Amino acid sequence: MTVLGEMIWNDGLGAGIEKGREAGSFMKLIHQICRKLQKGKEAAQIAEELKEELPLAERICKVAKQCAPEYDCEAIYHCLKDEEDSFKAEIGNKI
């Protein structure tokens, strides 16, 4: 592989690894929030306990409650990602 090819490969690999880490961190947050929802806690208390922004906790709680009582973290993650993708597409169309 050429030097340029290796640089491109390494950039793509690094970006993929970073994206995977971000997804993993978000899945962990979803899991923590779901556990707290199962204990009957509300979004404001959860946000405070996890030191997260309230709007993010509220958004995750809203979607998670739709998946209760199983709280399938992977399904919640995909719902949130779909919402985000739809929002980005909507904003992109208005710009």
Side-chain angles (χ1 to χ4, degrees), residues 32-47:
Q32 289 173 319
I33 288 175
C34 288
R35 283 196 343 234
K36 291 184 180 290
L37 283 171
Q38 288 173 326
K39 293 177 181 179
K41 296 183 179 183
E42 294 296 324
Q45 183 180 6
I46 293 170

Side-chain angles (χ1 to χ4, degrees), residues 19-52:
K19 193 172 183 178
R21 285 183 180 144
E22 289 173 7
S25 293
F26 195 50
M27 284 288 292
K28 181 180 178 182
L29 177 61
I30 292 169
H31 181 73
Q32 289 173 319
I33 288 175
C34 288
R35 283 196 343 234
K36 291 184 180 290
L37 283 171
Q38 288 173 326
K39 293 177 181 179
K41 296 183 179 183
E42 294 296 324
Q45 183 180 6
I46 293 170
E48 185 178 320
E49 289 177 2
L50 296 177
K51 296 179 176 60
E52 291 293 336

Side-chain angles (χ1 to χ4, degrees), residues 1-16:
M1 189 180 287
T2 66
V3 173
L4 179 59
E6 280 186 45
M7 289 172 59
I8 293 170
W9 173 266
N10 289 336
D11 285 347
L13 181 62

